[in-house]
Amino acid sequence: MCRRDEAGLFFAPSKEPTAARLSREEAAKRVCARCPVMVECREHALLQPEPYGVWGGLTAAERRVVLARRRRREMELKKAARATAANRIAG
């Protein structure tokens, strides 16, 4: 879908007013919502990470939040694994 739409819908022009940006991003997200590869697109943008634009239904700011949550979760899982391993050795 997004390949047929104008790239301007997914990427901000310089000095775009906030109201215009929010409206454009919502329109881009509506296109994403109908896309059969939305999840794959989102994962691509998260793995790269893509610093700009709407990818897989998420803005750059939303992707930063997702990535921060993933990092926290990974750290928590590693900490829990270390604690489990320490308990096995001690027990």
Side-chain angles (χ1 to χ4, degrees):
M1 282 266 174
C2 60
R3 290 182 182 201
R4 290 183 291 211
D5 292 310
E6 289 188 37
L9 185 62
F10 297 91
F11 295 94
S14 62
K15 299 181 182 179
E16 181 179 34
T18 301
R21 176 182 54 82
L22 294 173
S23 177
R24 179 190 48 75
E25 288 174 345
E26 287 305 314
K29 288 178 178 186
R30 285 192 297 274
V31 172
C32 291
R34 299 186 310 264
C35 181
V37 296
M38 183 183 77
V39 173
E40 293 86 345
C41 179
R42 179 180 295 176
E43 282 305 310
H44 161 81
L46 291 166
L47 292 172
Q48 284 308 305
E50 292 289 349
Y52 306 107
V54 174
W55 290 77
L58 297 178
T59 65
E62 292 166 335
R63 290 191 304 275
R64 285 191 294 274
V65 170
V66 170
L67 289 171
R69 286 180 182 156
R70 284 184 180 183
R71 283 191 294 273
R72 272 196 306 273
R73 188 175 22 207
E74 287 173 12
M75 289 174 51
E76 290 169 1
L77 289 172
K78 287 178 183 177
K79 184 177 178 181
R82 285 193 302 269
T84 301
N87 286 338
R88 284 186 189 145
I89 293 170

